[in-house]
Amino acid sequence: MSHSQSYTVRWAELDPNGHMRHSAYADFAADQRVHWLASHGFDLRKFAELRIGPILFREETKYLKELHAGEQIRVEGRVTGGTPDGARWTIEHSIYKADGRVAATVTVDGAWLDLDRRKLTVPPAELAAALSTE
């Protein structure tokens, strides 16, 4: 997986110091993951039909450069690890400033939850293939 999505930093994403608040980095990373999954045919409707959903076990953000209102950013996500069956995965998001410098990285470890049984599950083969790092 390697997929990117572009955004503009909005006023609502700023902290009192005038730069992007810490939780907005995680929000942009999550939105990029949702767009990537949808591009593989796994949108919210498909997950509801399959009765599975993604869950996170860990989320870590490293802040490198400030981002301000009106800045254009690009969020690129790539799978960096996981199990062969796609049941567990690690995705690293790089958040780039318009000039190409990395402003932050957001790394998440996750898995798939069976929404009926409330237990971890293996995803469909097509989703597992999309999560493959090979």
Side-chain angles (χ1 to χ4, degrees), residues 82-125:
T83 57
D85 62 3
R88 291 184 182 247
W89 36 266
T90 298
I91 298 174
E92 181 178 282
H93 302 275
S94 297
I95 301 176
Y96 294 93
K97 294 174 74 67
D99 65 8
R101 291 182 295 164
V102 177
T105 60
V106 179
T107 305
V108 297
D109 295 331
W112 301 103
L113 181 70
D114 180 309
L115 298 176
D116 296 323
R117 295 179 40 237
R118 309 308 288 177
K119 302 239 183 243
L120 296 182
T121 191
V122 175

Side-chain angles (χ1 to χ4, degrees), residues 2-63:
S2 183
H3 175 271
S4 68
Q5 192 75 26
S6 295
Y7 303 90
T8 301
V9 177
R10 302 171 306 168
W11 176 85
E13 288 141 358
L14 302 182
D15 68 11
N17 297 325
H19 60 260
M20 196 161 83
R21 62 182 160 72
H22 69 284
S23 57
Y25 291 86
D27 292 341
F28 281 120
D31 191 70
Q32 184 276 325
R33 283 193 305 278
V34 168
H35 282 279
W36 171 74
L37 290 166
S39 76
H40 284 278
F42 292 92
D43 59 12
L44 294 176
R45 188 179 329 219
K46 182 68 171 177
F47 282 120
E49 176 187 311
L50 293 170
R51 301 296 300 145
I52 65 170
I55 60 168
L56 297 184
F57 297 121
R58 180 183 73 91
E59 182 171 43
E60 176 184 73
T61 305
K62 292 181 183 176
Y63 306 97

